[in-house]
């Protein structure tokens, strides 16, 4: 158990010392005043001579005594008044208990996640996160709570503006939640889509349409790309200039290069079962379904073999190539590139000389040869392959039979690839996500108005400024950085642009009422989804055609992931991050600095990531920098890791550097704030001082059940993200009274920041 913070008692002890000194001074003054009165009395008697009467002498003595009594009363009153004043001052300087609902809720969160029986000096992760269950983590929990807030907004009373974006967003969410109507429609809406595409020979009539016409419809009207992906992205040489990019396709099956043959065969069997189930749900003949599903899998397998791994393209220096539509048409002639891309990216005006960014040209050449071969030998099977892929794409908008088929496939594939099962998500969460995708401008404005008002935004900016100022100051004291690099880095940090809460457009009230005239909702939910898809794609294209904004946000305002954009030199902190338990206006400052403040500092340190890599800071003290690197690597290597976990790479090292530095910067900013601003509070019943709450809130951000490392996650495992920085911070050991040699109070520490 941590030692209880004795702020009030300490203040009282200091108060007693001061009062004792003041009492001694006053009593001494009182005694000096009494002696002086007697001397004056004798002097007066001598001046009057010996002829004074006894009555006169008695009167003089009485007045002297009265004077002494009055002086004593006056001094006692001053003493009492000073005591009350000093008591008031010291009492208000100590931390008060925060017993508001938000603080009591935060205390309940800490008690629910923490294990106070764990020794904080040896296992602070268990102390803060020991009761965390399942695969949930703090960021996921916060993201889900933000979606709950969006749900409350969408289920609130009807909007005040009929026909507005608010009304359409609410109607879409309501139709998504209307599972009775979706179940009643069954596969009917999907059959209608298939008929519009010419049908297929698995069930019903089939009209053999032109391949490129079908592909053009799939891409432009249904957002389905069976052979490649096409999207708008930043130009490699000019980040603010959009360019059409042609990339490898995304497959439903998790095939991998150099996959074990047994696992590969099992995956193919599961996927075949899934395709057979889709065909049967659409009324197909079982024999034909089996035949067409098998060939569809064969097409997918051959396309997959054409892919070249990213590492291979990197070593060859061919991550992408710039070609025109005309050049691509000559190299991959099976696809009518101009027609398909023009339909997909309307209202852009394309021509054969339009430049494209192609990510894997060799794949596109081989894909084109395969399509030409299939058009000659298996045209009907090629049509079935495209439609089966479309059915999988649209399954979330269909009835429960289709959704259940897709869910069972996903679970079995995760088992085969040794991934943890995906927890079932409630229907409302899926509907909130869909509504947020299609009506982001409206929901962004509503969320910001509800959860990120002007006072919260001002407090978040104030916190950021405090973090930024401390980092600029600390950069002056880095022993391994030369003076010129220090100045350049300080200037870079000072000139950083910050976007807080939401983009400027989302802060305008009229955005919530934005009209979506091109969206036609109903009569079925699938038709509503398709109309929203087309509207969203058109909005994206139009946004790229407008003059470029200073920075185009990569996250929605209700999301929780902050990021730093190198190309725009801007750091983005969405409003969703500044919600309980990471931030609240009514929290103790220790919580806001320990949680949100450490996240801010971590993102700021990403600006100078490259300085830590060998050779990227030629003017720095190479020996000192190398020593700091080795010290941190050895320091982290001393901690035990969960089984099957590996993090020995440069990306994880940089994240560790930012973790250590982020905690140090946030702590210094908090300490500085305490010196200049009184009125800190603490949480009741936790027996934690404000400084201890700071470290507790920092660890709370990292709470997550340890699991095998995700291949896409560059961070260290959660326990190491807690213990590594805390053991590098002397203040932690001091405030938790850790004995020398404890795991989190080592004898030697690395001097990084």
């Amino acid at each position: 158990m941590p030692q209880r913070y004795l702020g009030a008692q300490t203040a009282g002890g200091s108060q007693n010392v001061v009062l004792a000194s003041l009492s001694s001074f006053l009593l001494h003054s009182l005694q000096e005043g009494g002696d002086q009165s007697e001397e004056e009395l004798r002097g007066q008697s001598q001046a009057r001579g010996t002829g004074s009467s006894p009555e006169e002498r008695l009167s003089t003595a009485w007045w002297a005594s009265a004077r002494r009594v009055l002086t004593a009363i006056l001094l006692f009153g001053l003493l009492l008044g000073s005591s009350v004043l000093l008591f008031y001052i010291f009492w208000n300087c100590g931390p008060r208990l925060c017993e508001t609902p938000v603080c009591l809720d935060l205390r309940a969160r800490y008690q629910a996640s923490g294990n106070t029986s764990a020794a904080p000096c040896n296992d602070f992760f268990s102390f803060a996160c020991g009761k965390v269950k399942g695969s949930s983590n703090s960021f996921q929990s916060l993201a889900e709570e933000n979606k709950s807030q969006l749900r409350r907004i969408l289920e609130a009373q009807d909007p005040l503006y009929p026909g507005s974006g608010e009304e359409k967003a609410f109607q879409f969410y309501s139709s998504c939640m209307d599972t009775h109507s979706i179940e009643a429609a069954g596969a009917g809406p999907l059959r209608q889509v298939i008929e519009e595409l010419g049908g297929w020979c698995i069930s019903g009539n089939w009209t053999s349409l032109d391949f490129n016409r079908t592909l053009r419809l799939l891409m432009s009207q249904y957002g389905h790309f069976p052979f490649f992906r096409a999207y708008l992205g930043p130009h490699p040489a000019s980040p603010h200039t959009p360019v059409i990019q042609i990339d490898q396709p995304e497959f439903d099956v998790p095939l991998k290069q150099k996959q074990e043959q047994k696992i590969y065969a099992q995956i193919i069997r599961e996927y075949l079962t899934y395709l057979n189930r889709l065909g049967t749900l659409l009324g197909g003949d079982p024999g034909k379904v089996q035949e067409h599903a098998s060939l569809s899998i064969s097409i997918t397998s051959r396309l997959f073999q054409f892919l070249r791994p990213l590492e291979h393209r990197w070593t060859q220096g061919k991550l992408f190539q710039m070609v025109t539509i005309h050049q691509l048409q000559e190299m991959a002639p099976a696809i009518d590139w101009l027609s398909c891309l023009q339909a997909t990216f309307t209202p852009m005006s394309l021509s054969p000389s339009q430049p494209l960014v192609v990510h894997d040209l060799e794949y596109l050449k081989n894909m084109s040869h395969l399509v030409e071969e299939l058009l000659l030998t298996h045209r009907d099977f090629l049509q079935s392959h495209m439609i089966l892929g479309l059915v999988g794409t649209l399954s979330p908008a269909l009835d429960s039979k289709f959704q259940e088929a897709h869910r069972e496939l996903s679970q079995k594939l995760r088992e085969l690839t040794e991934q943890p099962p995906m927890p079932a998500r409630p229907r409302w969460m899926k509907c909130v996500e869909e509504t947020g995708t299609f009506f982001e401008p409206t929901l962004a404005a509503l969320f910001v108005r509800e959860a990120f008002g002007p006072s919260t935004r001002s407090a978040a900016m104030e916190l950021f400024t405090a973090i930024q100022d401390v980092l600029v100051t600390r950069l002056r004291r880095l022993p391994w950085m030369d003076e010129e690099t220090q100045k350049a880095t300080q200037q870079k940090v000072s000139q950083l642009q910050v976007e807080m809460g939401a983009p400027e457009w989302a802060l305008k009230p009229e955005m919530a009422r934005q009209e979506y005239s091109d969206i036609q909702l109903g009569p079925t939910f699938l038709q509503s989804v398709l109309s929203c898809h087309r509207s969203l794609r058109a909005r994206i294209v139009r946004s790229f055609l407008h003059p470029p904004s200073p920075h185009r946000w990569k996250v929605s305002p209700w999301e929780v992931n902050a990021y730093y954009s190198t190309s725009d030199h801007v750091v983005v902190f969405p409003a969703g991050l500044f919600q309980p338990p990471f931030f609240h206006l009514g929290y103790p400052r220790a919580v806001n600095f320990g949680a949100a403040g450490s996240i801010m500092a971590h993102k700021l340190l990403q600006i100078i990531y490259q300085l830590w890599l060998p050779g990227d800071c030629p003017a720095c003290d190479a020996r000192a920098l190398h020593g700091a690197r080795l010290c941190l690597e050895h320091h982290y290597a001393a901690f035990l890791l969960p089984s099957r976990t590996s993090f020995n790479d440069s990306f994880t090292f940089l994240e560790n550097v930012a973790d250590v530095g982020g905690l140090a910067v946030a702590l210094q900013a908090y300490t500085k704030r305490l010196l200049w601003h009184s009125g800190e509070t603490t949480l009741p019943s936790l027996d934690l001082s404000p400084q201890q709450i700071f470290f507790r809130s920092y660890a709370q951000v990292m709470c997550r059940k340890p699991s095998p490392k995700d291949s896409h996650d560059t961070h260290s495992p959660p326990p190491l993200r807690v213990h590594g920085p805390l053991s590098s911070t002397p203040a932690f050991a001091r405030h938790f009274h850790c004995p020398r040699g404890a795991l989190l109070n080592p004898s030697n520490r690395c001097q990084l920041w």
Side-chain angles (χ1 to χ4, degrees), residues 253-315:
V253 274
L255 301 175
K256 296 180 180 180
Q257 305 286 344
K258 301 179 181 179
Q259 196 163 37
E260 184 181 342
Q261 186 63 33
K262 180 180 178 181
I263 301 298
Y264 177 86
Q266 290 176 316
I267 290 175
I268 293 299
R269 277 197 299 270
E270 293 295 344
Y271 195 61
L272 178 60
T273 301
Y274 169 68
L275 294 182
N276 283 330
R277 190 170 176 182
L278 291 184
T280 304
L281 288 173
L282 288 167
D285 174 79
K288 285 188 176 181
V289 170
Q290 177 79 18
E291 183 183 12
H292 283 252
S294 298
L295 191 57
S296 177
I297 290 178
S298 175
I299 294 172
T300 298
S301 180
R302 292 184 65 182
L303 289 174
F304 178 78
Q305 293 172 5
F306 296 153
L307 299 180
R308 292 188 302 158
L310 181 64
E311 298 79 8
H312 184 210
R313 288 185 283 137
W314 175 274
T315 56

Side-chain angles (χ1 to χ4, degrees), residues 252-536:
D252 280 343
V253 274
L255 301 175
K256 296 180 180 180
Q257 305 286 344
K258 301 179 181 179
Q259 196 163 37
E260 184 181 342
Q261 186 63 33
K262 180 180 178 181
I263 301 298
Y264 177 86
Q266 290 176 316
I267 290 175
I268 293 299
R269 277 197 299 270
E270 293 295 344
Y271 195 61
L272 178 60
T273 301
Y274 169 68
L275 294 182
N276 283 330
R277 190 170 176 182
L278 291 184
T280 304
L281 288 173
L282 288 167
D285 174 79
K288 285 188 176 181
V289 170
Q290 177 79 18
E291 183 183 12
H292 283 252
S294 298
L295 191 57
S296 177
I297 290 178
S298 175
I299 294 172
T300 298
S301 180
R302 292 184 65 182
L303 289 174
F304 178 78
Q305 293 172 5
F306 296 153
L307 299 180
R308 292 188 302 158
L310 181 64
E311 298 79 8
H312 184 210
R313 288 185 283 137
W314 175 274
T315 56
Q316 289 187 336
K318 293 183 178 180
L319 282 178
F320 63 88
Q321 292 172 261
M322 298 295 301
V323 300
T324 65
I325 291 180
H326 175 72
Q327 290 171 331
L328 185 58
Q329 188 66 56
E330 291 184 336
M331 291 183 281
I335 310 297
D336 186 349
W337 292 100
L338 181 60
S339 173
C340 289
L341 295 178
Q342 181 65 79
T344 303
F345 296 104
T346 300
M348 288 181 69
S349 179
L350 304 182
S351 67
S353 60
Q354 178 75 31
L356 306 172
V357 171
V358 175
H359 291 264
D360 191 346
L361 186 57
E362 291 303 314
Y363 165 81
L364 295 179
K365 292 178 180 179
N366 290 324
M367 176 272 299
S368 178
H369 290 314
L370 176 61
V371 170
E372 289 178 327
E373 173 189 326
L374 293 171
L375 286 173
L376 293 174
T377 58
H378 298 92
R379 178 180 290 268
D380 54 345
F381 287 95
L382 191 62
Q383 175 88 353
S384 297
H385 170 73
M386 292 191 288
I387 290 179
L388 282 171
L390 175 64
V391 173
T393 300
L394 299 181
S395 62
L398 303 174
D399 65 63
S400 58
K401 298 183 184 67
F402 289 92
Q403 294 183 51
E404 182 62 27
H406 192 271
R407 184 162 46 248
E408 288 185 8
L409 172 67
S410 298
Q411 296 289 17
K412 290 178 180 178
L413 293 180
R414 292 182 74 87
E415 290 176 8
L416 290 174
T417 54
E418 298 183 340
Q419 299 181 62
M422 289 289 291
R425 298 192 306 156
R427 176 77 184 180
W428 68 263
M429 189 175 293
K430 299 177 184 177
C431 293
V432 164
E433 291 171 353
E434 285 282 284
T435 309
T437 297
F438 298 135
F439 298 90
E440 182 183 14
T442 293
L443 259 64
L446 294 174
F447 182 82
V448 170
R449 186 174 68 191
E450 182 88 10
F452 199 71
S455 56
T456 302
R457 188 175 191 278
S458 177
M461 282 299 301
E462 183 180 351
L463 175 59
F464 173 80
T465 301
I467 297 293
Q468 186 181 36
D469 290 345
V470 166
L471 177 57
V472 171
T473 302
R474 292 182 75 97
L475 289 174
R476 302 189 190 120
R477 304 198 304 265
L478 293 182
W480 50 269
M481 190 180 290
D482 67 288
E483 184 177 353
E484 184 178 350
T485 305
Q486 285 179 0
K487 291 180 179 179
T489 306
Q490 286 177 317
Q491 185 178 20
K492 192 173 183 180
V493 173
S494 300
Q495 294 177 348
L496 175 71
Q497 299 296 314
V498 58
E499 298 200 13
M500 191 74 66
E504 287 297 325
W505 56 260
L507 301 176
K508 300 176 181 178
E510 60 270 18
M511 291 308 301
R513 302 188 292 272
Q514 176 176 323
E515 295 184 2
Y516 302 87
S517 57
D518 56 344
I519 291 181
Q520 302 298 321
L521 298 179
T524 67
F525 180 60
L526 176 60
Q527 288 173 312
S528 296
V529 169
L530 293 175
S531 179
C532 288
H533 266 298
R534 294 160 190 159
S535 173
L536 175 61

